Amino acid sequence: MRTFCNIITDGMLDYLVAIYELTETHDRISTSVLAQKMEVSSAAASSMMKRLTETGHVVRTARTGIQLTDQGRLAALQLLRRHRLLEVFLIEVMGFTWDQVKSEAMRLEHAISAEFEKRMEVLCNFPTHCPHGDPVPSEDGEIQSEELISLAELRPGQAGELRRVANHSAPMLRYLTQLHLVPGYRVKVLNVEPFDGPSTVQIQDDTAEDGPDSLVKIIGRSLAKRLFVRLTEQPAA
């Protein structure tokens, strides 16, 4: 049964989500790293960690840093579920674009009711992923895992389906739209320049009604590291 603890505030939930997201890229989360993520002072982050430790949502030691308890992880995933369902709803029902939905969903995620959330899920046909490719957690905090590899790691001849964009900044998403680099498209690496150089990538929409639409783009390594694909093709031996 899904419940939000009465003693936890919206701000506390935002911190739990930030900690959860940091665990995906950091082996150890320090107060300074969390403060940078939340765009607050280290003192403010430390004060919040004290509160979350007292409520049983976080544990913190000098050796392991900040970690979510089972209770903290569940609360974070429940808010992430609501946020990602809102992103789908805003695109499919309200007509927003994928570079607009993050900020809109953040404004709404603490305001809607559990019933509103359930109806969104039904109306959007029980989506499994948000528009950026992140999985939608279940009500009880289960989340799908998928074996993905960054575009920067692909060698010439390797191909796959673009599944996830790790950076949700609006300018980057608008740029990716121009490149047709959106989840669901197929990408194939044609060439990789040495010394951390860019990749030449063929991008193809296999769902186009008038046949596959293909184009070739040069993708910088910094951007390629933020794009994740499900590998489907290896280079010929």
PDB file of all heavy atoms in Angstrom, residues 175-196:
ATOM      1  N   TYR A 175      18.424  20.565 -28.785  1.00  0.00           N
ATOM      2  CA  TYR A 175      19.489  20.229 -29.736  1.00  0.00           C
ATOM      3  C   TYR A 175      19.352  18.781 -30.203  1.00  0.00           C
ATOM      4  O   TYR A 175      19.493  18.485 -31.401  1.00  0.00           O
ATOM      5  CB  TYR A 175      20.846  20.460 -29.084  1.00  0.00           C
ATOM      6  CG  TYR A 175      22.030  20.117 -29.969  1.00  0.00           C
ATOM      7  CD1 TYR A 175      22.252  20.791 -31.168  1.00  0.00           C
ATOM      8  CD2 TYR A 175      22.920  19.117 -29.603  1.00  0.00           C
ATOM      9  CE1 TYR A 175      23.328  20.483 -31.974  1.00  0.00           C
ATOM     10  CE2 TYR A 175      24.005  18.802 -30.406  1.00  0.00           C
ATOM     11  CZ  TYR A 175      24.207  19.488 -31.588  1.00  0.00           C
ATOM     12  OH  TYR A 175      25.270  19.172 -32.388  1.00  0.00           O
ATOM     13  N   LEU A 176      19.058  17.870 -29.266  1.00  0.00           N
ATOM     14  CA  LEU A 176      18.878  16.470 -29.632  1.00  0.00           C
ATOM     15  C   LEU A 176      17.683  16.279 -30.561  1.00  0.00           C
ATOM     16  O   LEU A 176      17.705  15.424 -31.449  1.00  0.00           O
ATOM     17  CB  LEU A 176      18.701  15.617 -28.375  1.00  0.00           C
ATOM     18  CG  LEU A 176      19.945  15.464 -27.488  1.00  0.00           C
ATOM     19  CD1 LEU A 176      19.597  14.707 -26.217  1.00  0.00           C
ATOM     20  CD2 LEU A 176      21.068  14.753 -28.236  1.00  0.00           C
ATOM     21  N   THR A 177      16.650  17.092 -30.374  1.00  0.00           N
ATOM     22  CA  THR A 177      15.494  17.032 -31.271  1.00  0.00           C
ATOM     23  C   THR A 177      15.911  17.400 -32.695  1.00  0.00           C
ATOM     24  O   THR A 177      15.503  16.763 -33.667  1.00  0.00           O
ATOM     25  CB  THR A 177      14.382  17.975 -30.788  1.00  0.00           C
ATOM     26  OG1 THR A 177      13.970  17.584 -29.473  1.00  0.00           O
ATOM     27  CG2 THR A 177      13.171  17.921 -31.717  1.00  0.00           C
ATOM     28  N   GLN A 178      16.750  18.428 -32.810  1.00  0.00           N
ATOM     29  CA  GLN A 178      17.249  18.831 -34.131  1.00  0.00           C
ATOM     30  C   GLN A 178      18.054  17.712 -34.789  1.00  0.00           C
ATOM     31  O   GLN A 178      18.025  17.543 -36.009  1.00  0.00           O
ATOM     32  CB  GLN A 178      18.113  20.078 -34.008  1.00  0.00           C
ATOM     33  CG  GLN A 178      17.374  21.323 -33.544  1.00  0.00           C
ATOM     34  CD  GLN A 178      18.311  22.491 -33.302  1.00  0.00           C
ATOM     35  OE1 GLN A 178      19.476  22.472 -33.696  1.00  0.00           O
ATOM     36  NE2 GLN A 178      17.814  23.525 -32.640  1.00  0.00           N
ATOM     37  N   LEU A 179      18.780  16.954 -33.951  1.00  0.00           N
ATOM     38  CA  LEU A 179      19.600  15.852 -34.470  1.00  0.00           C
ATOM     39  C   LEU A 179      18.798  14.569 -34.687  1.00  0.00           C
ATOM     40  O   LEU A 179      19.331  13.595 -35.212  1.00  0.00           O
ATOM     41  CB  LEU A 179      20.746  15.549 -33.491  1.00  0.00           C
ATOM     42  CG  LEU A 179      21.782  16.631 -33.247  1.00  0.00           C
ATOM     43  CD1 LEU A 179      22.813  16.143 -32.236  1.00  0.00           C
ATOM     44  CD2 LEU A 179      22.480  17.028 -34.542  1.00  0.00           C
ATOM     45  N   HIS A 180      17.537  14.562 -34.268  1.00  0.00           N
ATOM     46  CA  HIS A 180      16.693  13.360 -34.299  1.00  0.00           C
ATOM     47  C   HIS A 180      17.229  12.279 -33.352  1.00  0.00           C
ATOM     48  O   HIS A 180      17.001  11.089 -33.575  1.00  0.00           O
ATOM     49  CB  HIS A 180      16.569  12.798 -35.723  1.00  0.00           C
ATOM     50  CG  HIS A 180      15.891  13.733 -36.679  1.00  0.00           C
ATOM     51  ND1 HIS A 180      14.526  13.760 -36.836  1.00  0.00           N
ATOM     52  CD2 HIS A 180      16.392  14.688 -37.499  1.00  0.00           C
ATOM     53  CE1 HIS A 180      14.202  14.693 -37.725  1.00  0.00           C
ATOM     54  NE2 HIS A 180      15.323  15.270 -38.146  1.00  0.00           N
ATOM     55  N   LEU A 181      17.929  12.696 -32.318  1.00  0.00           N
ATOM     56  CA  LEU A 181      18.440  11.749 -31.330  1.00  0.00           C
ATOM     57  C   LEU A 181      17.476  11.691 -30.155  1.00  0.00           C
ATOM     58  O   LEU A 181      17.646  12.354 -29.130  1.00  0.00           O
ATOM     59  CB  LEU A 181      19.834  12.172 -30.859  1.00  0.00           C
ATOM     60  CG  LEU A 181      20.996  11.722 -31.733  1.00  0.00           C
ATOM     61  CD1 LEU A 181      22.295  12.400 -31.305  1.00  0.00           C
ATOM     62  CD2 LEU A 181      21.159  10.200 -31.666  1.00  0.00           C
ATOM     63  N   VAL A 182      16.409  10.917 -30.332  1.00  0.00           N
ATOM     64  CA  VAL A 182      15.392  10.770 -29.299  1.00  0.00           C
ATOM     65  C   VAL A 182      15.181   9.280 -29.031  1.00  0.00           C
ATOM     66  O   VAL A 182      15.440   8.438 -29.909  1.00  0.00           O
ATOM     67  CB  VAL A 182      14.062  11.431 -29.714  1.00  0.00           C
ATOM     68  CG1 VAL A 182      14.248  12.925 -29.908  1.00  0.00           C
ATOM     69  CG2 VAL A 182      13.511  10.801 -30.991  1.00  0.00           C
ATOM     70  N   PRO A 183      14.747   8.921 -27.822  1.00  0.00           N
ATOM     71  CA  PRO A 183      14.519   7.496 -27.522  1.00  0.00           C
ATOM     72  C   PRO A 183      13.611   6.838 -28.542  1.00  0.00           C
ATOM     73  O   PRO A 183      12.597   7.393 -28.961  1.00  0.00           O
ATOM     74  CB  PRO A 183      13.870   7.548 -26.131  1.00  0.00           C
ATOM     75  CG  PRO A 183      14.450   8.770 -25.506  1.00  0.00           C
ATOM     76  CD  PRO A 183      14.548   9.769 -26.631  1.00  0.00           C
ATOM     77  N   GLY A 184      13.994   5.637 -28.940  1.00  0.00           N
ATOM     78  CA  GLY A 184      13.248   4.884 -29.941  1.00  0.00           C
ATOM     79  C   GLY A 184      13.930   4.851 -31.290  1.00  0.00           C
ATOM     80  O   GLY A 184      13.663   3.956 -32.102  1.00  0.00           O
ATOM     81  N   TYR A 185      14.815   5.805 -31.550  1.00  0.00           N
ATOM     82  CA  TYR A 185      15.540   5.819 -32.816  1.00  0.00           C
ATOM     83  C   TYR A 185      16.728   4.853 -32.762  1.00  0.00           C
ATOM     84  O   TYR A 185      17.273   4.591 -31.693  1.00  0.00           O
ATOM     85  CB  TYR A 185      16.044   7.230 -33.137  1.00  0.00           C
ATOM     86  CG  TYR A 185      15.008   8.117 -33.791  1.00  0.00           C
ATOM     87  CD1 TYR A 185      13.699   8.163 -33.327  1.00  0.00           C
ATOM     88  CD2 TYR A 185      15.340   8.912 -34.882  1.00  0.00           C
ATOM     89  CE1 TYR A 185      12.753   8.983 -33.917  1.00  0.00           C
ATOM     90  CE2 TYR A 185      14.413   9.741 -35.489  1.00  0.00           C
ATOM     91  CZ  TYR A 185      13.112   9.768 -34.995  1.00  0.00           C
ATOM     92  OH  TYR A 185      12.174  10.579 -35.587  1.00  0.00           O
ATOM     93  N   ARG A 186      17.122   4.365 -33.922  1.00  0.00           N
ATOM     94  CA  ARG A 186      18.249   3.445 -34.031  1.00  0.00           C
ATOM     95  C   ARG A 186      19.503   4.235 -34.389  1.00  0.00           C
ATOM     96  O   ARG A 186      19.457   5.134 -35.226  1.00  0.00           O
ATOM     97  CB  ARG A 186      17.965   2.391 -35.102  1.00  0.00           C
ATOM     98  CG  ARG A 186      19.022   1.315 -35.248  1.00  0.00           C
ATOM     99  CD  ARG A 186      18.557   0.251 -36.248  1.00  0.00           C
ATOM    100  NE  ARG A 186      19.574  -0.763 -36.456  1.00  0.00           N
ATOM    101  CZ  ARG A 186      20.544  -0.680 -37.360  1.00  0.00           C
ATOM    102  NH1 ARG A 186      20.629   0.393 -38.135  1.00  0.00           N
ATOM    103  NH2 ARG A 186      21.417  -1.653 -37.495  1.00  0.00           N
ATOM    104  N   VAL A 187      20.607   3.919 -33.729  1.00  0.00           N
ATOM    105  CA  VAL A 187      21.869   4.602 -34.015  1.00  0.00           C
ATOM    106  C   VAL A 187      22.946   3.568 -34.334  1.00  0.00           C
ATOM    107  O   VAL A 187      22.982   2.488 -33.745  1.00  0.00           O
ATOM    108  CB  VAL A 187      22.326   5.489 -32.834  1.00  0.00           C
ATOM    109  CG1 VAL A 187      21.368   6.651 -32.645  1.00  0.00           C
ATOM    110  CG2 VAL A 187      22.447   4.684 -31.555  1.00  0.00           C
ATOM    111  N   LYS A 188      23.790   3.900 -35.279  1.00  0.00           N
ATOM    112  CA  LYS A 188      24.911   3.036 -35.645  1.00  0.00           C
ATOM    113  C   LYS A 188      26.163   3.890 -35.754  1.00  0.00           C
ATOM    114  O   LYS A 188      26.168   4.927 -36.419  1.00  0.00           O
ATOM    115  CB  LYS A 188      24.656   2.324 -36.967  1.00  0.00           C
ATOM    116  CG  LYS A 188      25.776   1.361 -37.362  1.00  0.00           C
ATOM    117  CD  LYS A 188      25.406   0.547 -38.586  1.00  0.00           C
ATOM    118  CE  LYS A 188      26.494  -0.477 -38.911  1.00  0.00           C
ATOM    119  NZ  LYS A 188      26.110  -1.342 -40.057  1.00  0.00           N
ATOM    120  N   VAL A 189      27.228   3.467 -35.089  1.00  0.00           N
ATOM    121  CA  VAL A 189      28.481   4.208 -35.118  1.00  0.00           C
ATOM    122  C   VAL A 189      29.255   3.843 -36.382  1.00  0.00           C
ATOM    123  O   VAL A 189      29.541   2.670 -36.631  1.00  0.00           O
ATOM    124  CB  VAL A 189      29.325   3.914 -33.865  1.00  0.00           C
ATOM    125  CG1 VAL A 189      30.686   4.587 -33.968  1.00  0.00           C
ATOM    126  CG2 VAL A 189      28.599   4.393 -32.613  1.00  0.00           C
ATOM    127  N   LEU A 190      29.571   4.847 -37.170  1.00  0.00           N
ATOM    128  CA  LEU A 190      30.323   4.639 -38.406  1.00  0.00           C
ATOM    129  C   LEU A 190      31.811   4.845 -38.198  1.00  0.00           C
ATOM    130  O   LEU A 190      32.629   4.172 -38.827  1.00  0.00           O
ATOM    131  CB  LEU A 190      29.808   5.592 -39.492  1.00  0.00           C
ATOM    132  CG  LEU A 190      28.307   5.526 -39.804  1.00  0.00           C
ATOM    133  CD1 LEU A 190      27.957   6.534 -40.886  1.00  0.00           C
ATOM    134  CD2 LEU A 190      27.897   4.116 -40.219  1.00  0.00           C
ATOM    135  N   ASN A 191      32.155   5.794 -37.313  1.00  0.00           N
ATOM    136  CA  ASN A 191      33.567   6.088 -37.084  1.00  0.00           C
ATOM    137  C   ASN A 191      33.732   6.787 -35.738  1.00  0.00           C
ATOM    138  O   ASN A 191      32.846   7.510 -35.281  1.00  0.00           O
ATOM    139  CB  ASN A 191      34.100   7.000 -38.197  1.00  0.00           C
ATOM    140  CG  ASN A 191      35.582   7.276 -38.053  1.00  0.00           C
ATOM    141  OD1 ASN A 191      36.401   6.354 -38.050  1.00  0.00           O
ATOM    142  ND2 ASN A 191      35.935   8.544 -37.917  1.00  0.00           N
ATOM    143  N   VAL A 192      34.889   6.546 -35.094  1.00  0.00           N
ATOM    144  CA  VAL A 192      35.229   7.231 -33.844  1.00  0.00           C
ATOM    145  C   VAL A 192      36.631   7.807 -34.001  1.00  0.00           C
ATOM    146  O   VAL A 192      37.578   7.072 -34.292  1.00  0.00           O
ATOM    147  CB  VAL A 192      35.191   6.279 -32.634  1.00  0.00           C
ATOM    148  CG1 VAL A 192      35.571   7.034 -31.366  1.00  0.00           C
ATOM    149  CG2 VAL A 192      33.810   5.637 -32.481  1.00  0.00           C
ATOM    150  N   GLU A 193      36.750   9.106 -33.823  1.00  0.00           N
ATOM    151  CA  GLU A 193      38.054   9.743 -33.925  1.00  0.00           C
ATOM    152  C   GLU A 193      38.893   9.413 -32.686  1.00  0.00           C
ATOM    153  O   GLU A 193      38.353   9.252 -31.580  1.00  0.00           O
ATOM    154  CB  GLU A 193      37.901  11.257 -34.054  1.00  0.00           C
ATOM    155  CG  GLU A 193      37.221  11.705 -35.343  1.00  0.00           C
ATOM    156  CD  GLU A 193      38.041  11.393 -36.575  1.00  0.00           C
ATOM    157  OE1 GLU A 193      39.282  11.327 -36.461  1.00  0.00           O
ATOM    158  OE2 GLU A 193      37.444  11.204 -37.654  1.00  0.00           O
ATOM    159  N   PRO A 194      40.213   9.310 -32.840  1.00  0.00           N
ATOM    160  CA  PRO A 194      41.064   8.969 -31.683  1.00  0.00           C
ATOM    161  C   PRO A 194      41.187  10.123 -30.689  1.00  0.00           C
ATOM    162  O   PRO A 194      40.762  11.238 -30.958  1.00  0.00           O
ATOM    163  CB  PRO A 194      42.415   8.661 -32.341  1.00  0.00           C
ATOM    164  CG  PRO A 194      42.414   9.461 -33.608  1.00  0.00           C
ATOM    165  CD  PRO A 194      40.991   9.475 -34.086  1.00  0.00           C
ATOM    166  N   PHE A 195      41.788   9.791 -29.517  1.00  0.00           N
ATOM    167  CA  PHE A 195      42.075  10.779 -28.472  1.00  0.00           C
ATOM    168  C   PHE A 195      40.805  11.498 -27.998  1.00  0.00           C
ATOM    169  O   PHE A 195      40.729  12.726 -27.952  1.00  0.00           O
ATOM    170  CB  PHE A 195      43.122  11.791 -28.955  1.00  0.00           C
ATOM    171  CG  PHE A 195      44.352  11.153 -29.547  1.00  0.00           C
ATOM    172  CD1 PHE A 195      44.631  11.274 -30.895  1.00  0.00           C
ATOM    173  CD2 PHE A 195      45.201  10.395 -28.750  1.00  0.00           C
ATOM    174  CE1 PHE A 195      45.756  10.671 -31.455  1.00  0.00           C
ATOM    175  CE2 PHE A 195      46.330   9.795 -29.299  1.00  0.00           C
ATOM    176  CZ  PHE A 195      46.613   9.925 -30.644  1.00  0.00           C
ATOM    177  N   ASP A 196      39.790  10.686 -27.661  1.00  0.00           N
ATOM    178  CA  ASP A 196      38.515  11.216 -27.160  1.00  0.00           C
ATOM    179  C   ASP A 196      37.821  12.116 -28.176  1.00  0.00           C
ATOM    180  O   ASP A 196      37.102  13.055 -27.809  1.00  0.00           O
ATOM    181  CB  ASP A 196      38.698  11.980 -25.846  1.00  0.00           C
ATOM    182  CG  ASP A 196      38.911  11.054 -24.666  1.00  0.00           C
ATOM    183  OD1 ASP A 196      38.547   9.862 -24.777  1.00  0.00           O
ATOM    184  OD2 ASP A 196      39.443  11.512 -23.637  1.00  0.00           O
TER     185      ASP A 196
END
